[in-house]
Amino acid sequence: MKSSGDLIASISTDLADNNAGLISAEDIRHNMEDLAYSINRIVASGDTDGEFRFYNNVRVAATGIGAGGAEGKLVMESGIIFPNAPDGKTTLVQVVPYPGEGGIIHDNLIIDQTSHPHTQYYHKTGVNQADNVLTGNVPVGHANWINASGYSDVGFKFVPVQDTLQEIYTSGTLRFGDGSSIPNGKGLAKAWCNFNASGDATDNLPSIRSYHNISGITRLAPGKLKITFNSGVFDNNNYVALATSHGTVATGSKEDMTVNTVGLVLRQGNNGPDDTDNPRTVTYVIRTETGDYADAEICDFVAFGAEPDETLGDVPFKLMDPSYSENA
């Protein structure tokens, strides 16, 4: 077997450019034999890497599929090099077959840990969080829950209520770093306010300083006011209400108070979840030791209760003490 250069030299020597009878059948035969013997070597030797490259697609027919697929394959014993690879990776040799999209084990990939090349995924190790942050909104399906293990109906989810407004549902207890926790919203005040019942000297309207879920306060008479709740705060009128007052219009010193009692009476409004047309109200009255109704500059009010559709859990038990007596 000869190289392409040796074949060309032999042909030039043995096969002259004239018909002087100097070319024998042997000359033709042995050059053709050399050519036949040398073709595979020339192709396989690497000569095609330089002067005799393949310029068109190389197709290997799948003629052996019916016989077990033993034919029609490119067998790469030493690997594959991509000389036009991006990022300058032109000398890397691939020696492992591509396993397909479903066969890549990402934990086995060699990744630059100073960056996050797969920005479409969350980085489970949290590496380089300062630079690897979400830069856009994260939409979550309305029926999907977010939690530690992908369970159904556990964790929290976002539920649209009107236009872009959403409620955040949670199935568990909120626990804080100091060890405190909130298992539900029953312990939170649903409505509260601080106000000056005497108002100002111009119109004597009450001055509301701070408030939550309070629609308004109406002055009925000196020492008598009606507090109106926002619609939808309570499920009914059986809420727990507490109130205090210092019983005087003076606030100049620490002794400025008058012994008094605040009564929360006459709960009105639609006794049901629909209180839009007939809002809930409670009358706030301040009564001194002498029995008179009096205004006060410092008045506090707070109310706890069940919201519409809120459940209260097990009903507390009721017992009569064994030692109970009507005559005790």
Side-chain angles (χ1 to χ4, degrees):
M1 290 185 289
K2 298 180 179 181
S3 67
S4 60
D6 293 338
L7 283 174
I8 293 173
S10 176
I11 293 172
S12 298
T13 302
D14 294 340
L15 303 180
D17 292 335
N18 56 57
N19 295 322
L22 300 177
I23 301 175
S24 65
E26 179 183 3
D27 293 333
I28 297 175
R29 184 178 67 252
H30 81 75
N31 277 287
M32 294 181 64
E33 289 173 348
D34 289 343
L35 181 62
Y37 285 136
S38 301
I39 286 178
N40 290 337
R41 178 185 176 185
I42 293 172
V43 174
S45 66
D47 284 357
T48 55
D49 185 54
E51 185 177 356
F52 302 108
R53 296 183 181 182
F54 293 106
Y55 291 99
N56 294 319
N57 295 336
V58 178
R59 184 184 300 275
V60 181
T63 58
I65 284 185
E71 301 170 344
K73 296 179 177 63
L74 287 174
V75 180
M76 304 297 177
E77 295 182 352
S78 301
I80 304 173
I81 296 177
F82 298 93
N84 297 320
D87 302 326
K89 299 177 180 179
T90 59
T91 60
L92 297 181
V93 181
Q94 179 181 331
V95 295
V96 177
Y98 173 56
E101 294 179 356
I104 297 178
I105 302 176
H106 282 214
D107 288 344
N108 293 339
L109 296 177
I110 300 175
I111 299 177
D112 180 5
Q113 293 299 317
T114 62
S115 63
H116 185 15
H118 300 293
T119 55
Q120 69 271 40
Y121 304 125
Y122 289 116
H123 204 307
K124 71 176 185 179
T125 62
V127 174
N128 199 19
Q129 293 186 25
D131 297 325
N132 179 32
V133 296
L134 298 175
T135 58
N137 298 329
V138 181
V140 179
H142 303 157
N144 298 332
W145 290 80
I146 300 175
N147 53 64
S149 303
Y151 298 122
S152 298
D153 302 323
V154 175
F156 63 93
K157 68 177 180 177
F158 303 89
V159 179
V161 291
Q162 181 182 0
D163 299 328
T164 58
L165 298 178
Q166 299 187 17
E167 292 182 345
I168 303 175
Y169 286 23
T170 178
S171 67
T173 297
L174 298 177
R175 187 168 298 278
F176 302 92
D178 61 358
S180 61
S181 62
I182 302 176
N184 52 56
K186 291 180 171 60
L188 301 178
K190 301 300 172 60
W192 48 262
C193 64
N194 172 273
F195 60 94
N196 177 359
S198 58
D200 55 47
T202 303
D203 51 21
N204 288 330
L205 289 176
S207 175
I208 306 172
R209 301 187 183 96
S210 61
Y211 53 90
H212 172 61
N213 274 334
I214 300 297
S215 175
I217 300 177
T218 303
R219 182 178 175 84
L220 304 175
K224 299 179 181 179
L225 304 102
K226 182 169 66 174
I227 298 175
T228 303
F229 298 103
N230 287 341
S231 176
V233 175
F234 296 113
D235 184 62
N236 50 54
N237 290 331
N238 299 322
Y239 48 86
V240 177
L242 306 170
T244 63
S245 169
H246 76 326
T248 179
V249 296
T251 59
S253 70
K254 61 183 179 181
E255 290 83 11
D256 286 335
M257 69 159 289
T258 299
V259 177
N260 69 93
T261 299
V262 175
L264 299 172
V265 297
L266 195 60
R267 301 188 183 193
Q268 295 179 313
N270 192 31
N271 190 22
D274 184 9
D275 59 356
T276 302
D277 297 329
N278 189 16
R280 304 184 199 286
T281 63
V282 60
T283 302
Y284 184 110
V285 297
I286 307 169
R287 196 166 188 176
T288 65
E289 275 190 308
T290 61
D292 298 322
Y293 294 97
D295 284 332
E297 188 166 332
I298 301 176
C299 301
D300 298 310
F301 171 81
V302 62
F304 300 81
E307 301 178 29
D309 300 324
E310 179 181 344
T311 59
L312 295 178
D314 297 334
V315 178
F317 67 83
K318 296 171 289 185
L319 293 176
M320 187 74 74
D321 189 274
S323 62
Y324 173 82
S325 173
E326 293 286 348
N327 299 319

